[in-house]
Amino acid sequence: MRTDRTFTMLKPDSVEKGYIGAILEKITGAGFKIVAMKLTQMTQSDAETFYAVHNERPFFGELVEYMTRGPIVAAVLEKENAVQDFRTLIGATNPADAAEGTIRKMYAASMGENAVHGSDSDENAEIESQFHFAGREIF
Ligand code: IDP
Ligand code: MG
């Protein structure tokens, strides 16, 4: 299992607020190389599948509605120790708890609308990348 790739989404709130450029600048400035990227919109079924691990949680309906309400930027990122370093760069799930200078601290509004996704393991990075991209779209 490779350890130098992770998967991210700039969530609908980031796109709506015009933060795509600023967030990508933070990501590349932190040493991540973009090896796949697109603007896309998740369907209800896409979001239910992508977040299936959370389907028993009370916020699941809200999460699916949020993630499908507009376009997202999906991307695969490459860097040594990618998963862990990217989670550090984005900060805690709740922006109120996120460290100063992290993407969620800078750009997220709330626990629900928290600007950006980052895979939580090498295995999920691979699964999530393949969910959004064909092999020939990852460079
Ligand atoms: P993560 O994105 O930091 O890995 P997870 O616990 O995997 O956090 O939750 C997935 C997503 O579900 C979060 O990024 C956030 O958008 C949403 N979420 C998590 N907890 C809550 C909550 O308590 N209320 C509303 N939305 C939540
Ligand atoms: Mg998670």
Side-chain angles (χ1 to χ4, degrees), residues 11-12 15-16 40-42 65-72:
K11 297 182 177 183
V15 177
E16 287 159 9
T40 183
Q41 185 163 2
M42 296 175 95
E65 195 173 324
Y66 161 51
M67 289 303 298
T68 58
R69 78 174 185 220
I72 59 163

Side-chain angles (χ1 to χ4, degrees), residues 31-123:
F32 291 89
K33 179 180 168 195
I34 296 167
V35 296
M37 187 165 67
K38 67 180 158 195
L39 195 63
T40 183
Q41 185 163 2
M42 296 175 95
T43 64
Q44 168 138 353
S45 141
D46 287 338
E48 285 171 356
T49 304
F50 189 91
Y51 283 112
V53 65
H54 294 306
N55 65 13
E56 303 290 320
R57 308 282 283 278
F59 59 83
F60 186 66
E62 184 189 322
L63 174 60
V64 170
E65 195 173 324
Y66 161 51
M67 289 303 298
T68 58
R69 78 174 185 220
I72 59 163
V73 175
V76 181
L77 305 173
E78 194 168 290
K79 182 184 180 297
E80 201 178 291
N81 199 36
V83 166
Q84 196 182 316
D85 285 2
F86 193 69
R87 295 289 301 203
T88 301
L89 180 68
I90 68 177
T93 306
N94 186 344
D97 301 330
E100 218 49 59
T102 60
I103 292 175
R104 282 169 167 167
K105 184 69 170 187
M106 294 172 75
Y107 299 108
S110 66
M111 177 91 153
E113 303 209 358
N114 60 2
V116 62
H117 169 83
S119 304
D120 63 7
S121 66
D122 292 328
E123 187 187 15

